[in-house]
Amino acid sequence: MKHLLIVAGACMGVALAVLLLSWSPVFSSFNSFDYDFTLRSAGELKPASPVTVVAIDEESLRRVGQWPWTRDKLARLIDRIQAGVPAVVAIDEILDDASPNV
């Protein structure tokens, strides 16, 4: 019985130590490293569904003009995207100003 109490006490001590260490920056850093290592060792994972994000980047702004673009420019962009026959097109844009190109 004494041996069982020693083992139970040791287990509780280890559990308490792990709990206290989990709040330390060292453990957090180790956890991040371990997570990154696991993702790298898993290799490249192909997405379950093909998704293409069409983003307006610095090159686009240089070629087309500064933001905000007029509605006719946005319409031409959407027409070019539609040429690829996408299943869905989602646009995250607020058109809150009056535009002569409606």
Side-chain angles (χ1 to χ4, degrees):
M1 183 69 168
K2 184 177 180 182
H3 181 62
L4 184 62
L5 287 174
I6 291 173
V7 170
C11 288
M12 299 237 340
V14 169
L16 181 63
V18 169
L19 179 66
L20 292 174
L21 285 173
S22 70
W23 291 326
S24 73
V26 173
F27 187 83
S28 177
S29 175
F30 174 73
N31 189 26
S32 295
F33 173 78
D34 186 45
Y35 180 74
D36 291 343
F37 176 77
T38 303
L39 288 179
R40 280 193 300 272
S41 64
E44 183 178 346
L45 301 175
K46 297 197 180 214
S49 64
V51 174
T52 302
V53 175
V54 178
I56 298 170
D57 59 358
E58 292 297 323
E59 176 66 16
S60 302
L61 294 174
R62 187 184 64 73
R63 289 176 52 197
V64 178
Q66 289 301 313
W67 194 258
W69 290 347
T70 59
R71 291 180 177 158
D72 62 320
K73 288 180 184 178
L74 292 173
R76 285 196 304 269
L77 174 64
I78 294 168
D79 286 342
R80 292 193 62 189
I81 292 170
Q82 278 298 119
V85 191
V88 175
V89 175
I91 301 171
D92 183 18
E93 176 64 30
I94 297 175
L95 300 174
D96 61 349
D97 59 336
S99 174
N101 300 322
V102 176

